[in-house]
Amino acid sequence: MSLSLYRSADPSDPAGPTVRVLICAASPLLRTGLRTILQRSPGLQPLTELSTTARIAQACAAKRPDVVVIDADMPGMEACEVKKLTTAQDAGQPGVILLVRPGDPDRMLDYLRAGARGLVLRDGPESDMVHAVRAVAAGNALISPPITAEVVTEMARRLPGPPLHTPPLLHLLTPREQEVLTLIAGGLSNAEMAAELHLSEKTVKFHVSNVLGKLRVRSRAQAMVYARSGHRAAG
């Protein structure tokens, strides 16, 4: 699916064959406004106007529109309604455009996941609607720039980011504990560390416990991994 923001051509230019558009909006004023915009745009033909979503699928099956424009502010207008249109074989799978308001990127993503091909601001310029209808009818997609910014920001927030380095905690260790950590990283046992450091095993065990606690790890193996990655990051 390609994503278009604006076509460079004048929105009054016809875009190939006549595009048949079904309008669904609860507000009579909004329906009239959409019909007027479409009627004075060459190549766009408004069809049936609906005031609820109850008969959208039925109207699509009967009229076979290329594009359906739906006011997202209508009561009960959820992503599932879009899904019904974009998956119903008998409706010819028209391209769906939602008239939306900014401020709800989660809902916008739900519409896109359900198969919507256009998200146009309800209070945007008339040219946005004309561009969207033509783009969607051509098999592309269009999202008004303010909505695009919100959707992209939300998508970026949800995507897993690159692995972050564990915050360095090595500075919390005393010089002796740093020595113990270095020996842990070398794979030495408590007895071997005791011999190396000329300490008792009990004292070494005490230092090891402090090291694990300060580094917020639960095992010598985790401390070993931390020490090795930590030394690399520091280096």
Side-chain angles (χ1 to χ4, degrees):
M1 178 177 72
S2 60
L3 177 64
S4 305
L5 295 182
Y6 290 100
R7 294 175 61 234
S8 58
D10 189 302
S12 65
D13 291 339
T18 300
V19 178
R20 295 155 50 84
V21 185
L22 187 149
I23 298 169
C24 185
S27 165
L29 185 61
L30 183 55
R31 293 197 304 272
T32 299
L34 289 170
R35 181 178 68 248
T36 301
I37 292 171
L38 296 173
Q39 285 176 335
R40 66 187 180 204
S41 301
L44 305 186
Q45 177 187 353
L47 299 175
T48 303
E49 297 173 20
L50 303 176
S51 58
T52 71
T53 60
R55 295 178 52 248
I56 292 183
Q58 180 182 350
C60 286
K63 300 293 184 179
R64 299 286 177 177
D66 302 298
V67 176
V68 179
V69 177
I70 306 173
D71 177 19
D73 275 2
M74 289 195 304
M77 184 57 222
E78 301 296 339
C80 60
E81 298 297 331
V82 176
K83 191 70 173 177
K84 292 176 185 177
L85 294 179
T86 57
T87 58
Q89 296 298 325
D90 59 347
Q93 296 181 319
V96 177
I97 297 174
L98 277 300
L99 293 176
V100 299
R101 300 180 189 274
D104 194 351
D106 282 335
R107 191 180 184 193
M108 302 306 108
L109 286 174
D110 285 343
Y111 286 142
L112 294 174
R113 278 192 293 263
R117 305 302 294 271
L119 299 175
V120 178
L121 282 176
R122 293 177 95 256
D123 299 326
E126 293 183 7
S127 58
D128 278 17
M129 175 54 62
V130 176
H131 286 316
V133 169
R134 289 184 173 147
V136 171
N140 299 316
L142 187 147
I143 304 176
S144 293
I147 302 300
T148 301
E150 292 186 356
V151 169
V152 169
T153 299
E154 180 63 18
M155 290 176 65
R157 186 186 69 80
R158 295 186 183 192
L159 289 173
L164 301 177
H165 288 298
T166 304
L169 299 174
L170 297 179
H171 70 281
L172 298 178
L173 304 182
T174 65
R176 176 64 80 185
E177 289 167 351
Q178 291 181 18
E179 287 182 300
V180 169
L181 179 60
T182 299
L183 297 178
I184 290 175
L188 275 66
S189 66
N190 284 356
E192 292 170 331
M193 283 192 284
E196 179 72 21
L197 298 174
H198 306 289
L199 300 172
S200 68
E201 284 192 47
K202 183 177 180 180
T203 301
V204 168
K205 190 172 182 179
F206 173 79
H207 287 314
V208 170
S209 178
N210 284 344
V211 167
L212 299 184
K214 290 182 178 180
L215 297 184
R216 303 173 190 172
V217 296
R218 290 179 288 183
S219 68
R220 295 168 66 100
Q222 290 179 336
M224 183 183 298
V225 171
Y226 187 101
R228 291 175 177 177
S229 61
H231 284 310
R232 284 201 300 272

